[in-house]
Amino acid sequence: CTSPVFIVGLVDDMQISISPLTRLLVLIPSAFLCYYFLGTKAENLEIPFIDYLFQFEVFSIIFICFALAGIINAFNILDGMNGLLLLFCLSICLSIIIFPQSSVSLEFYFYLVAIFFSILGIFVLNFPWGRIFLGDGGAYFLGATVTVGLIKYYQINDLSPWYVFLMLIYPIADVFFSIFRRIISNYSALEPDNKHLHHLIYKRLKKINIQSEKLRHVLVTFSTFIIYFPFLLGANYFSSDTLVLQLLSLIFFIFYLFLYLILAPRDFFYRS
């Protein structure tokens, strides 16, 4: 199911030019395969009007395909500093282990353990020395496997759909504010840039004369960990309480925006 995702990332890692739009469109077949073979369906969002639309299978398929493609792409965006994406994925696994749901299947734990130690094997070489890298292929693949795993976990345990949203709140917020920033800056939403939150933290550390490149990577990775990990714990603790999950999601967005505006330079939203 994840073959299209991995292949498009691997091709890009080989320095073969692929437009951002083409890459995004190639992610959709993987999302559809996951829907068809693995049953990663979107059944509701516990929002009355939108939930009505999920009665139509076409809407459900379109929603899950674009949602999965978007979050897979978001994982690749996070892969901008040594250990950043890897620690986020490890944190997702760890938060589930700390607050396991009562009806979780043994098969899911095998899946979780396989992902955790596969990531850990790369993490110890990547962070902070950068002796090995995920590349786009690895980032896309992790985005697919972790997200699909979370969707199945929510389905098996009959959790709130907002559980998955809050578990992925960091990459979702990063993409959301990236799109918003590009709109007001009149810049293409598909082109890469270096104005994400982790870039701002990195630049601020550089500005205060922290000379070591490795130390800056360490500080950026652990700074973001401190920001998102409490919300991962909250997602698992309140996994069936939609109202609390929605509130925590809103708090994260407000905090993210507040931190972003503090770190952003005065002329940040204007193209030079």
PDB file of all heavy atoms in Angstrom, residues 113-136:
ATOM      1  N   VAL A 113       5.694  -1.987  18.055  1.00  0.00           N
ATOM      2  CA  VAL A 113       7.073  -2.332  18.431  1.00  0.00           C
ATOM      3  C   VAL A 113       7.984  -2.344  17.200  1.00  0.00           C
ATOM      4  O   VAL A 113       9.120  -1.868  17.245  1.00  0.00           O
ATOM      5  CB  VAL A 113       7.112  -3.694  19.152  1.00  0.00           C
ATOM      6  CG1 VAL A 113       8.540  -4.201  19.280  1.00  0.00           C
ATOM      7  CG2 VAL A 113       6.489  -3.573  20.544  1.00  0.00           C
ATOM      8  N   ALA A 114       7.477  -2.877  16.090  1.00  0.00           N
ATOM      9  CA  ALA A 114       8.262  -2.918  14.851  1.00  0.00           C
ATOM     10  C   ALA A 114       8.616  -1.511  14.386  1.00  0.00           C
ATOM     11  O   ALA A 114       9.763  -1.240  14.012  1.00  0.00           O
ATOM     12  CB  ALA A 114       7.487  -3.665  13.764  1.00  0.00           C
ATOM     13  N   ILE A 115       7.630  -0.608  14.407  1.00  0.00           N
ATOM     14  CA  ILE A 115       7.880   0.779  14.005  1.00  0.00           C
ATOM     15  C   ILE A 115       8.853   1.454  14.967  1.00  0.00           C
ATOM     16  O   ILE A 115       9.808   2.112  14.556  1.00  0.00           O
ATOM     17  CB  ILE A 115       6.553   1.570  13.945  1.00  0.00           C
ATOM     18  CG1 ILE A 115       5.700   1.078  12.783  1.00  0.00           C
ATOM     19  CG2 ILE A 115       6.823   3.069  13.788  1.00  0.00           C
ATOM     20  CD1 ILE A 115       4.345   1.759  12.690  1.00  0.00           C
ATOM     21  N   PHE A 116       8.613   1.276  16.272  1.00  0.00           N
ATOM     22  CA  PHE A 116       9.420   1.955  17.298  1.00  0.00           C
ATOM     23  C   PHE A 116      10.898   1.611  17.155  1.00  0.00           C
ATOM     24  O   PHE A 116      11.759   2.503  17.105  1.00  0.00           O
ATOM     25  CB  PHE A 116       8.919   1.576  18.691  1.00  0.00           C
ATOM     26  CG  PHE A 116       9.666   2.258  19.806  1.00  0.00           C
ATOM     27  CD1 PHE A 116       9.278   3.513  20.243  1.00  0.00           C
ATOM     28  CD2 PHE A 116      10.755   1.651  20.411  1.00  0.00           C
ATOM     29  CE1 PHE A 116       9.970   4.155  21.267  1.00  0.00           C
ATOM     30  CE2 PHE A 116      11.451   2.283  21.428  1.00  0.00           C
ATOM     31  CZ  PHE A 116      11.055   3.539  21.853  1.00  0.00           C
ATOM     32  N   PHE A 117      11.217   0.327  17.086  1.00  0.00           N
ATOM     33  CA  PHE A 117      12.629  -0.055  17.058  1.00  0.00           C
ATOM     34  C   PHE A 117      13.266   0.171  15.688  1.00  0.00           C
ATOM     35  O   PHE A 117      14.483   0.370  15.598  1.00  0.00           O
ATOM     36  CB  PHE A 117      12.795  -1.506  17.521  1.00  0.00           C
ATOM     37  CG  PHE A 117      12.664  -1.647  19.006  1.00  0.00           C
ATOM     38  CD1 PHE A 117      11.497  -2.135  19.572  1.00  0.00           C
ATOM     39  CD2 PHE A 117      13.692  -1.255  19.852  1.00  0.00           C
ATOM     40  CE1 PHE A 117      11.368  -2.247  20.951  1.00  0.00           C
ATOM     41  CE2 PHE A 117      13.576  -1.361  21.223  1.00  0.00           C
ATOM     42  CZ  PHE A 117      12.414  -1.856  21.778  1.00  0.00           C
ATOM     43  N   SER A 118      12.464   0.152  14.634  1.00  0.00           N
ATOM     44  CA  SER A 118      13.001   0.530  13.316  1.00  0.00           C
ATOM     45  C   SER A 118      13.424   1.994  13.318  1.00  0.00           C
ATOM     46  O   SER A 118      14.497   2.348  12.821  1.00  0.00           O
ATOM     47  CB  SER A 118      11.938   0.305  12.225  1.00  0.00           C
ATOM     48  OG  SER A 118      11.606  -1.048  12.122  1.00  0.00           O
ATOM     49  N   ILE A 119      12.569   2.840  13.900  1.00  0.00           N
ATOM     50  CA  ILE A 119      12.888   4.266  13.994  1.00  0.00           C
ATOM     51  C   ILE A 119      14.076   4.490  14.917  1.00  0.00           C
ATOM     52  O   ILE A 119      14.972   5.288  14.625  1.00  0.00           O
ATOM     53  CB  ILE A 119      11.670   5.060  14.498  1.00  0.00           C
ATOM     54  CG1 ILE A 119      10.514   4.952  13.506  1.00  0.00           C
ATOM     55  CG2 ILE A 119      12.017   6.526  14.723  1.00  0.00           C
ATOM     56  CD1 ILE A 119       9.197   5.498  14.030  1.00  0.00           C
ATOM     57  N   LEU A 120      14.093   3.775  16.041  1.00  0.00           N
ATOM     58  CA  LEU A 120      15.174   3.933  17.022  1.00  0.00           C
ATOM     59  C   LEU A 120      16.535   3.587  16.411  1.00  0.00           C
ATOM     60  O   LEU A 120      17.536   4.248  16.692  1.00  0.00           O
ATOM     61  CB  LEU A 120      14.903   3.049  18.245  1.00  0.00           C
ATOM     62  CG  LEU A 120      15.836   3.236  19.443  1.00  0.00           C
ATOM     63  CD1 LEU A 120      15.728   4.657  19.994  1.00  0.00           C
ATOM     64  CD2 LEU A 120      15.516   2.213  20.532  1.00  0.00           C
ATOM     65  N   GLY A 121      16.553   2.561  15.561  1.00  0.00           N
ATOM     66  CA  GLY A 121      17.808   2.171  14.913  1.00  0.00           C
ATOM     67  C   GLY A 121      18.372   3.273  14.040  1.00  0.00           C
ATOM     68  O   GLY A 121      19.595   3.445  13.936  1.00  0.00           O
ATOM     69  N   ILE A 122      17.495   4.043  13.397  1.00  0.00           N
ATOM     70  CA  ILE A 122      17.942   5.170  12.573  1.00  0.00           C
ATOM     71  C   ILE A 122      18.244   6.378  13.453  1.00  0.00           C
ATOM     72  O   ILE A 122      19.210   7.109  13.206  1.00  0.00           O
ATOM     73  CB  ILE A 122      16.859   5.535  11.529  1.00  0.00           C
ATOM     74  CG1 ILE A 122      16.554   4.337  10.638  1.00  0.00           C
ATOM     75  CG2 ILE A 122      17.314   6.715  10.665  1.00  0.00           C
ATOM     76  CD1 ILE A 122      15.377   4.544   9.712  1.00  0.00           C
ATOM     77  N   PHE A 123      17.434   6.562  14.495  1.00  0.00           N
ATOM     78  CA  PHE A 123      17.563   7.740  15.354  1.00  0.00           C
ATOM     79  C   PHE A 123      18.943   7.835  15.990  1.00  0.00           C
ATOM     80  O   PHE A 123      19.545   8.920  16.040  1.00  0.00           O
ATOM     81  CB  PHE A 123      16.479   7.690  16.435  1.00  0.00           C
ATOM     82  CG  PHE A 123      16.486   8.871  17.368  1.00  0.00           C
ATOM     83  CD1 PHE A 123      15.967  10.093  16.958  1.00  0.00           C
ATOM     84  CD2 PHE A 123      17.011   8.767  18.651  1.00  0.00           C
ATOM     85  CE1 PHE A 123      15.974  11.186  17.814  1.00  0.00           C
ATOM     86  CE2 PHE A 123      17.011   9.851  19.511  1.00  0.00           C
ATOM     87  CZ  PHE A 123      16.496  11.066  19.091  1.00  0.00           C
ATOM     88  N   VAL A 124      19.484   6.716  16.480  1.00  0.00           N
ATOM     89  CA  VAL A 124      20.772   6.753  17.181  1.00  0.00           C
ATOM     90  C   VAL A 124      21.924   7.104  16.243  1.00  0.00           C
ATOM     91  O   VAL A 124      22.981   7.555  16.691  1.00  0.00           O
ATOM     92  CB  VAL A 124      21.064   5.410  17.895  1.00  0.00           C
ATOM     93  CG1 VAL A 124      20.045   5.156  18.986  1.00  0.00           C
ATOM     94  CG2 VAL A 124      21.094   4.244  16.908  1.00  0.00           C
ATOM     95  N   LEU A 125      21.727   6.918  14.946  1.00  0.00           N
ATOM     96  CA  LEU A 125      22.754   7.288  13.965  1.00  0.00           C
ATOM     97  C   LEU A 125      22.504   8.664  13.358  1.00  0.00           C
ATOM     98  O   LEU A 125      23.429   9.333  12.917  1.00  0.00           O
ATOM     99  CB  LEU A 125      22.810   6.249  12.842  1.00  0.00           C
ATOM    100  CG  LEU A 125      23.280   4.853  13.253  1.00  0.00           C
ATOM    101  CD1 LEU A 125      23.148   3.883  12.087  1.00  0.00           C
ATOM    102  CD2 LEU A 125      24.724   4.890  13.743  1.00  0.00           C
ATOM    103  N   ASN A 126      21.264   9.057  13.348  1.00  0.00           N
ATOM    104  CA  ASN A 126      20.917  10.358  12.760  1.00  0.00           C
ATOM    105  C   ASN A 126      21.087  11.512  13.737  1.00  0.00           C
ATOM    106  O   ASN A 126      21.480  12.617  13.348  1.00  0.00           O
ATOM    107  CB  ASN A 126      19.470  10.316  12.256  1.00  0.00           C
ATOM    108  CG  ASN A 126      18.959  11.661  11.796  1.00  0.00           C
ATOM    109  OD1 ASN A 126      18.318  12.382  12.553  1.00  0.00           O
ATOM    110  ND2 ASN A 126      19.249  12.009  10.557  1.00  0.00           N
ATOM    111  N   PHE A 127      20.782  11.262  15.012  1.00  0.00           N
ATOM    112  CA  PHE A 127      20.725  12.346  15.993  1.00  0.00           C
ATOM    113  C   PHE A 127      21.880  12.270  16.974  1.00  0.00           C
ATOM    114  O   PHE A 127      22.058  11.253  17.641  1.00  0.00           O
ATOM    115  CB  PHE A 127      19.399  12.279  16.751  1.00  0.00           C
ATOM    116  CG  PHE A 127      19.200  13.370  17.760  1.00  0.00           C
ATOM    117  CD1 PHE A 127      18.844  14.641  17.348  1.00  0.00           C
ATOM    118  CD2 PHE A 127      19.373  13.129  19.103  1.00  0.00           C
ATOM    119  CE1 PHE A 127      18.657  15.657  18.272  1.00  0.00           C
ATOM    120  CE2 PHE A 127      19.190  14.134  20.037  1.00  0.00           C
ATOM    121  CZ  PHE A 127      18.826  15.401  19.616  1.00  0.00           C
ATOM    122  N   PRO A 128      22.680  13.356  17.112  1.00  0.00           N
ATOM    123  CA  PRO A 128      22.614  14.600  16.330  1.00  0.00           C
ATOM    124  C   PRO A 128      23.657  14.669  15.218  1.00  0.00           C
ATOM    125  O   PRO A 128      23.788  15.694  14.574  1.00  0.00           O
ATOM    126  CB  PRO A 128      22.925  15.653  17.403  1.00  0.00           C
ATOM    127  CG  PRO A 128      23.934  14.964  18.276  1.00  0.00           C
ATOM    128  CD  PRO A 128      23.555  13.503  18.285  1.00  0.00           C
ATOM    129  N   TRP A 129      24.399  13.570  15.009  1.00  0.00           N
ATOM    130  CA  TRP A 129      25.571  13.638  14.130  1.00  0.00           C
ATOM    131  C   TRP A 129      25.226  13.592  12.648  1.00  0.00           C
ATOM    132  O   TRP A 129      26.038  13.958  11.810  1.00  0.00           O
ATOM    133  CB  TRP A 129      26.521  12.492  14.466  1.00  0.00           C
ATOM    134  CG  TRP A 129      26.950  12.520  15.901  1.00  0.00           C
ATOM    135  CD1 TRP A 129      27.912  13.321  16.462  1.00  0.00           C
ATOM    136  CD2 TRP A 129      26.410  11.746  16.964  1.00  0.00           C
ATOM    137  NE1 TRP A 129      27.997  13.081  17.818  1.00  0.00           N
ATOM    138  CE2 TRP A 129      27.093  12.121  18.156  1.00  0.00           C
ATOM    139  CE3 TRP A 129      25.420  10.760  17.046  1.00  0.00           C
ATOM    140  CZ2 TRP A 129      26.810  11.561  19.392  1.00  0.00           C
ATOM    141  CZ3 TRP A 129      25.138  10.196  18.276  1.00  0.00           C
ATOM    142  CH2 TRP A 129      25.828  10.592  19.429  1.00  0.00           C
ATOM    143  N   GLY A 130      24.031  13.110  12.291  1.00  0.00           N
ATOM    144  CA  GLY A 130      23.649  13.054  10.889  1.00  0.00           C
ATOM    145  C   GLY A 130      24.445  12.045  10.089  1.00  0.00           C
ATOM    146  O   GLY A 130      24.818  12.298   8.945  1.00  0.00           O
ATOM    147  N   ARG A 131      24.726  10.863  10.678  1.00  0.00           N
ATOM    148  CA  ARG A 131      25.486   9.831   9.966  1.00  0.00           C
ATOM    149  C   ARG A 131      24.616   9.025   9.001  1.00  0.00           C
ATOM    150  O   ARG A 131      25.115   8.257   8.190  1.00  0.00           O
ATOM    151  CB  ARG A 131      26.144   8.894  10.981  1.00  0.00           C
ATOM    152  CG  ARG A 131      27.244   9.587  11.776  1.00  0.00           C
ATOM    153  CD  ARG A 131      27.795   8.706  12.861  1.00  0.00           C
ATOM    154  NE  ARG A 131      28.864   9.385  13.592  1.00  0.00           N
ATOM    155  CZ  ARG A 131      29.381   8.967  14.736  1.00  0.00           C
ATOM    156  NH1 ARG A 131      28.919   7.838  15.282  1.00  0.00           N
ATOM    157  NH2 ARG A 131      30.338   9.625  15.337  1.00  0.00           N
ATOM    158  N   ILE A 132      23.310   9.176   9.140  1.00  0.00           N
ATOM    159  CA  ILE A 132      22.373   8.553   8.211  1.00  0.00           C
ATOM    160  C   ILE A 132      21.130   9.436   8.166  1.00  0.00           C
ATOM    161  O   ILE A 132      20.823  10.117   9.142  1.00  0.00           O
ATOM    162  CB  ILE A 132      22.008   7.105   8.666  1.00  0.00           C
ATOM    163  CG1 ILE A 132      21.277   6.369   7.552  1.00  0.00           C
ATOM    164  CG2 ILE A 132      21.172   7.121   9.942  1.00  0.00           C
ATOM    165  CD1 ILE A 132      21.068   4.887   7.865  1.00  0.00           C
ATOM    166  N   PHE A 133      20.436   9.428   7.035  1.00  0.00           N
ATOM    167  CA  PHE A 133      19.271  10.301   6.882  1.00  0.00           C
ATOM    168  C   PHE A 133      18.076   9.508   6.361  1.00  0.00           C
ATOM    169  O   PHE A 133      18.233   8.512   5.652  1.00  0.00           O
ATOM    170  CB  PHE A 133      19.584  11.446   5.919  1.00  0.00           C
ATOM    171  CG  PHE A 133      20.678  12.355   6.391  1.00  0.00           C
ATOM    172  CD1 PHE A 133      21.974  12.197   5.930  1.00  0.00           C
ATOM    173  CD2 PHE A 133      20.420  13.356   7.324  1.00  0.00           C
ATOM    174  CE1 PHE A 133      22.994  13.024   6.373  1.00  0.00           C
ATOM    175  CE2 PHE A 133      21.430  14.189   7.775  1.00  0.00           C
ATOM    176  CZ  PHE A 133      22.723  14.021   7.301  1.00  0.00           C
ATOM    177  N   LEU A 134      16.881   9.966   6.716  1.00  0.00           N
ATOM    178  CA  LEU A 134      15.651   9.344   6.219  1.00  0.00           C
ATOM    179  C   LEU A 134      15.474   9.575   4.729  1.00  0.00           C
ATOM    180  O   LEU A 134      15.075   8.681   3.992  1.00  0.00           O
ATOM    181  CB  LEU A 134      14.439   9.926   6.951  1.00  0.00           C
ATOM    182  CG  LEU A 134      14.069   9.358   8.308  1.00  0.00           C
ATOM    183  CD1 LEU A 134      12.961  10.194   8.938  1.00  0.00           C
ATOM    184  CD2 LEU A 134      13.628   7.915   8.185  1.00  0.00           C
ATOM    185  N   GLY A 135      15.737  10.792   4.288  1.00  0.00           N
ATOM    186  CA  GLY A 135      15.427  11.166   2.916  1.00  0.00           C
ATOM    187  C   GLY A 135      13.924  11.306   2.748  1.00  0.00           C
ATOM    188  O   GLY A 135      13.138  11.010   3.656  1.00  0.00           O
ATOM    189  N   ASP A 136      13.499  11.740   1.579  1.00  0.00           N
ATOM    190  CA  ASP A 136      12.061  11.888   1.314  1.00  0.00           C
ATOM    191  C   ASP A 136      11.355  10.538   1.332  1.00  0.00           C
ATOM    192  O   ASP A 136      10.215  10.433   1.797  1.00  0.00           O
ATOM    193  CB  ASP A 136      11.846  12.564  -0.040  1.00  0.00           C
ATOM    194  CG  ASP A 136      12.173  14.054  -0.001  1.00  0.00           C
ATOM    195  OD1 ASP A 136      12.441  14.563   1.105  1.00  0.00           O
ATOM    196  OD2 ASP A 136      12.158  14.693  -1.061  1.00  0.00           O
TER     197      ASP A 136
END
